[in-house]
């Protein structure tokens, strides 16, 4: 004859089993995260690129006989080629410039022209800048020796930044390849996303939230890339008209800086200074300076217009999510931030509206209905 344990003991056993299972699940989740963590950034970039490029993938697939693999491979090859060409020319130009500078210093043919007398009259920085410039024209070697200790830390920091940019570029290339694989299996990936969303938020709302996430990613990506392309055309046209050396290469640098959300004055201000130094102060250089400076600020005007297109969420939510995500997580946060904020915004208002009866406001009575009541009164 089997005896059943008392309810208190049975409850204790169930509670202990629950804690053990929860602890095992937590250990499993933590272990999976540790294994998955080195590839997290790459896979997030791959997902963003796959979602952004998938409409183009469907168009190309229809023209290639509905072959997913061929279409995805073609898009990835073209994207890598488009990215590698400006990077190659940029690297070649930098290498040649450094080589010429080193040879000039070795041969002793580097001569700095004397400063104009007007430089000394500049407020605050004029006298020390004039003295430093004069010393550089007469004894450049001693000047370089005096500033070398200060330039060492700057050079090391710059090399570290360049190494980080190079590593990030390689990660982006790998993400493009993985994104091609995701696009090739896009339909099965969409079904998997639907199954996960059905489990988390229910089948009645899963489709709308998946559409919201994909539309937000595409709006941000197309807005960022589109704005960068517009600025490249506008500023690059000014470089060509003004006759700036390497205008095409500088325009490609503008495009890359726009995509990476780096400030364009890093390029435009030195180019404006070069134009004034070589051409002097004239109406053409003043117009070029104003035109280039305004072109570098176009993103502040275009972002509010393009970032929220096609998304069922107010534009300020997308803009705040993009800016806050970029400050918190870098470039990848530019895409994750709007998605998180948009989903949170929709969930908040669905929670507010849940269980509330619609408020019906009676229309105001017309004058014809009010007049008899006044006469009866």
């Amino acid at each position: 004859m089997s005896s059943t344990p008392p309810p208190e003991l049975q409850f204790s056993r169930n509670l202990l089993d629950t804690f053990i299972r929860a602890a095992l699940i937590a250990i499993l989740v933590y272990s999976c995260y540790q294994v998955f963590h080195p590839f997290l950034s790459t896979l997030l970039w791959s997902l963003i690129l796959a979602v952004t490029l998938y409409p183009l993938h469907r168009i190309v697939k229809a023209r290639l006989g509905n072959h997913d693999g061929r279409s995805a491979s073609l898009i990835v090859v073209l994207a890598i080629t488009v990215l590698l060409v400006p990077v190659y020319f940029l690297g070649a130009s930098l290498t040649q410039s450094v080589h010429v500078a080193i040879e000039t210093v070795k041969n002793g043919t580097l001569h700095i022209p004397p400063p104009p007398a007007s430089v000394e009259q500049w407020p605050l920085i004029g006298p020390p800048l004039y003295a430093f410039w004069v010393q550089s024209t007469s004894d450049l070697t001693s000047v370089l020796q005096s500033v070398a200790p200060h330039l060492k830390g700057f050079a090391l920091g710059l090399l570290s930044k360049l190494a980080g940019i190079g590593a990030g570029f390689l990660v982006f290339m790998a993400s493009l390849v993985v994104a091609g694989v995701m696009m090739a299996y896009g339909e099965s990936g969409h079904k998997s996303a639907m199954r996960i969303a059905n489990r988390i938020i229910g089948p009645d709302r899963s489709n709308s939230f998946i559409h919201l996430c994909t539309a937000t990613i595409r709006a941000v990506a197309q807005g960022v890339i589109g704005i960068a392309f517009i600025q490249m055309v506008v500023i690059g046209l000014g470089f060509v008209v003004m006759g700036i050396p390497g205008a095409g290469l500088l325009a490609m640098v503008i495009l890359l800086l726009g995509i990476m959300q780096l400030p364009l004055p890093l390029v435009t201000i030195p180019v404006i200074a070069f134009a004034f130094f070589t051409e002097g102060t004239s109406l053409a250089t003043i117009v070029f300076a104003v035109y280039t400076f305004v072109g570098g600020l176009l993103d502040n005007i275009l972002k509010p217009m393009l970032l929220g297109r096609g998304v069922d969420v107010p534009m300020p939510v997308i803009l705040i999510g993009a800016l806050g995500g970029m400050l918190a997580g870098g470039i990848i946060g530019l895409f994750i931030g709007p998605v998180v904020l948009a989903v949170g915004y929709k969930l908040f208002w669905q929670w507010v509206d849940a269980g509330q009866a619609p408020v019906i406001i009676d229309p105001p009575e017309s004058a014809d209905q009010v007049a008899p009541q006044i006469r009866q009164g």
Side-chain angles (χ1 to χ4, degrees), residues 28-309:
L28 178 61
V29 171
Y30 179 76
S31 301
C32 292
Y33 174 77
Q34 290 295 320
V35 174
F36 186 73
H37 178 68
F39 309 99
L40 181 60
S41 177
T42 303
L43 290 178
L44 284 176
W45 269 119
S46 302
L47 181 61
I48 292 170
L49 292 171
V51 171
T52 304
L53 297 174
Y54 194 73
L56 176 62
H57 166 72
R58 297 181 63 180
I59 296 174
V60 176
K61 183 180 73 172
R63 296 180 177 273
L64 295 179
N66 291 324
H67 290 285
D68 288 295
R70 295 179 184 176
S71 173
S73 301
L74 179 61
I75 292 174
V76 170
V77 170
L78 290 177
I80 292 177
T81 304
V82 169
L83 289 174
L84 285 180
V85 169
V87 170
Y88 169 76
F89 283 109
L90 178 61
S93 176
L94 290 176
T95 303
Q96 183 179 4
S97 300
V98 172
H99 179 72
V100 171
I102 293 175
E103 290 296 327
T104 303
V105 172
K106 286 183 177 179
N107 298 332
T109 58
L110 178 62
H111 297 288
I112 299 177
S118 59
V119 174
E120 193 175 9
Q121 307 300 324
W122 292 357
L124 298 179
I125 64 172
L129 178 61
Y130 184 82
F132 180 79
W133 197 335
V134 170
Q135 184 182 3
S136 300
T137 58
S138 59
D139 190 4
L140 181 59
T141 303
S142 62
V143 172
L144 292 177
Q145 291 176 352
S146 63
V147 300
H150 304 285
L151 294 178
K152 182 178 179 180
F154 173 77
L156 292 176
L158 181 60
L159 290 176
S160 176
K161 294 292 184 181
L162 291 176
I165 293 175
F169 186 77
L170 293 178
V171 170
F172 190 78
M173 293 291 103
S175 302
L176 264 176
V177 175
V178 179
V181 177
M182 290 183 177
M183 287 188 293
Y185 295 92
E187 295 183 2
S188 60
H190 178 72
K191 293 178 181 178
S192 300
M194 287 293 297
R195 292 172 57 190
I196 297 172
N198 289 340
R199 178 60 177 161
I200 295 175
I201 60 178
D204 54 336
R205 295 183 295 179
S206 59
N207 191 31
S208 62
F209 275 96
I210 290 178
H211 175 73
L212 174 66
C213 293
T214 55
T216 304
I217 292 175
R218 287 171 185 167
V220 174
Q222 293 170 4
V224 170
I225 297 175
I227 292 171
F229 183 78
I230 292 173
Q231 288 184 294
M232 179 196 70
V233 173
V234 171
I235 299 176
L237 182 62
F239 289 172
V240 172
V241 172
M242 195 62 187
I244 301 297
L249 179 62
L250 290 173
M252 295 305 301
V253 175
I254 291 289
L255 176 63
L256 293 176
L257 290 179
I259 293 175
M260 294 186 293
Q261 295 297 293
L262 295 176
L264 298 188
L266 292 173
V267 174
T268 58
I269 291 180
V271 171
I272 292 172
F274 174 80
F276 275 103
F277 186 78
T278 56
E279 302 293 334
T281 303
S282 63
L283 179 61
T285 53
I286 293 175
V287 172
F288 169 75
V290 174
Y291 173 83
T292 304
F293 186 77
V294 173
L297 300 178
L298 275 179
D299 56 336
N300 298 317
I301 301 173
L302 296 177
K303 277 181 182 178
M305 299 169 57
L306 298 179
L307 281 180
R309 293 184 60 186

